[in-house]
Amino acid sequence: MTGPTVVSANLLTDNPQLYEAQFPDPEHRAARFVADLVDRYAPESGRRLLDVGCGTGRDAGHLAGSGWAVTGIDVSERMLAYARDRHPGVRFVAADMRGYALPGPFDVITCLDSALLYCHTNADLTAFLARCHAHLTPGGLLVAEMRNGAYFLGGGTDLLDGERTRTVHWRGTPYTSHTLLWIDHGEQLLRRRRTWTWPGCPQPLVQTSAWRLLFPMELRHLLDTAGFDVPALFDTPGPRTDPAWHAGAAVGTGLTGDRLHLVARRRADSATR
């Protein structure tokens, strides 16, 4: 999708090419991370996959190109239009992660780049996990990647110390973002304010968002209640850590890093608690 920049409160999601320029993944580390985890924890799994919060379809498209049957869901119509144009081998559906109902079942559900943390309330989280349980085959995997609440709520401050500035060039124009993160302890949220400027922008554009912060044991409890076992929960490495994930990487279980990576396995209905 090309054309003029859409100026809105969601600059990145309304301009998918700018999103991919801001968050590049030329080596498809996120998609390869998913495939490697499935091979480790469910080597006999089928290859029917649902990507929740699929965004531009980059991960879904790469997996489809590797032989997976992939469906992607997102709430952004502009992201979905861009994804459909770029990745015709994937079925893309407009749906909310808390209430989707799709033909299935799936062998794997992915929820990457902290998309799970847009479930801000306990009711949101319970609804999302119930949807995952309903759409997965028994033994199917939920693979998620997100920010680690134990890091931020446990005293990690390096990402909270002041404003961070970054400039990315898209179609010959420099877009500069000034990002500030802070903790909302009462709501258990990591809040973000990102202010954008670029040549010709009449005034700075402010975008706000937030992620729910979950402690590892809190996440385990939610999953257990929803009918999942957790064969893997680790902080490093992952597609957005340094060093980054690679095939055969040993997982780090200290859970002190700023990212949290989850592999959950759906129990049979009779074992759901």
Side-chain angles (χ1 to χ4, degrees), residues 191-272:
R191 295 194 179 274
R192 179 182 68 190
R193 182 173 68 247
R194 178 176 285 151
T195 304
W196 288 95
T197 58
W198 62 90
C201 174
Q203 60 184 9
L205 176 65
V206 178
Q207 177 178 339
T208 60
S209 58
W211 300 275
R212 171 69 179 268
L213 291 175
L214 295 167
F215 284 102
M217 287 301 291
E218 180 183 14
L219 182 58
R220 285 183 181 274
H221 172 71
L222 289 165
L223 287 157
D224 178 51
T225 302
F228 289 87
D229 297 317
V230 181
L233 191 63
F234 57 98
D235 52 0
T236 59
R240 295 169 180 84
T241 62
D242 185 17
W245 180 268
H246 60 85
V251 301
T253 57
L255 301 180
T256 58
D258 68 302
R259 309 300 295 194
L260 190 63
H261 309 92
L262 166 73
V263 180
R265 180 176 291 115
R266 180 203 189 274
R267 293 196 295 262
D269 290 334
S270 60
T272 304

Side-chain angles (χ1 to χ4, degrees), residues 52-253:
V52 176
C54 63
T56 65
R58 181 170 56 194
D59 302 330
H62 183 78
L63 289 166
S66 300
W68 295 66
V70 184
T71 299
I73 66 171
D74 205 282
V75 294
S76 170
E77 292 289 355
R78 289 188 65 84
M79 284 285 205
L80 290 170
Y82 178 83
R84 291 185 185 108
D85 184 59
R86 292 288 299 275
H87 307 289
V90 179
R91 178 173 181 251
F92 292 104
V93 180
D96 188 294
M97 64 191 300
R98 299 163 297 181
Y100 64 89
L102 301 169
F106 298 94
D107 305 298
V108 179
I109 294 177
T110 57
C111 192
L112 306 179
D113 198 21
S114 294
L116 185 151
L117 303 183
Y118 286 112
C119 294
H120 290 175
T121 69
N122 292 340
D124 290 340
L125 288 162
T126 299
F128 168 65
L129 293 176
R131 291 291 80 211
C132 291
H133 190 277
H135 283 76
L136 279 170
T137 59
L141 296 184
L142 168 62
V143 177
E145 182 266 340
M146 69 200 84
R147 294 182 178 273
N148 181 10
Y151 172 82
F152 291 96
L153 294 171
T157 62
D158 62 300
L159 297 176
L160 307 174
D161 292 338
E163 190 174 77
R164 294 175 179 267
T165 299
R166 181 182 180 188
T167 297
V168 61
H169 289 79
W170 175 48
R171 298 192 308 195
T173 298
Y175 290 81
T176 299
S177 60
H178 306 272
T179 301
L180 184 66
L181 299 174
W182 70 97
I183 303 294
D184 180 338
H185 289 84
E187 297 295 327
Q188 204 168 312
L189 296 174
L190 176 64
R191 295 194 179 274
R192 179 182 68 190
R193 182 173 68 247
R194 178 176 285 151
T195 304
W196 288 95
T197 58
W198 62 90
C201 174
Q203 60 184 9
L205 176 65
V206 178
Q207 177 178 339
T208 60
S209 58
W211 300 275
R212 171 69 179 268
L213 291 175
L214 295 167
F215 284 102
M217 287 301 291
E218 180 183 14
L219 182 58
R220 285 183 181 274
H221 172 71
L222 289 165
L223 287 157
D224 178 51
T225 302
F228 289 87
D229 297 317
V230 181
L233 191 63
F234 57 98
D235 52 0
T236 59
R240 295 169 180 84
T241 62
D242 185 17
W245 180 268
H246 60 85
V251 301
T253 57

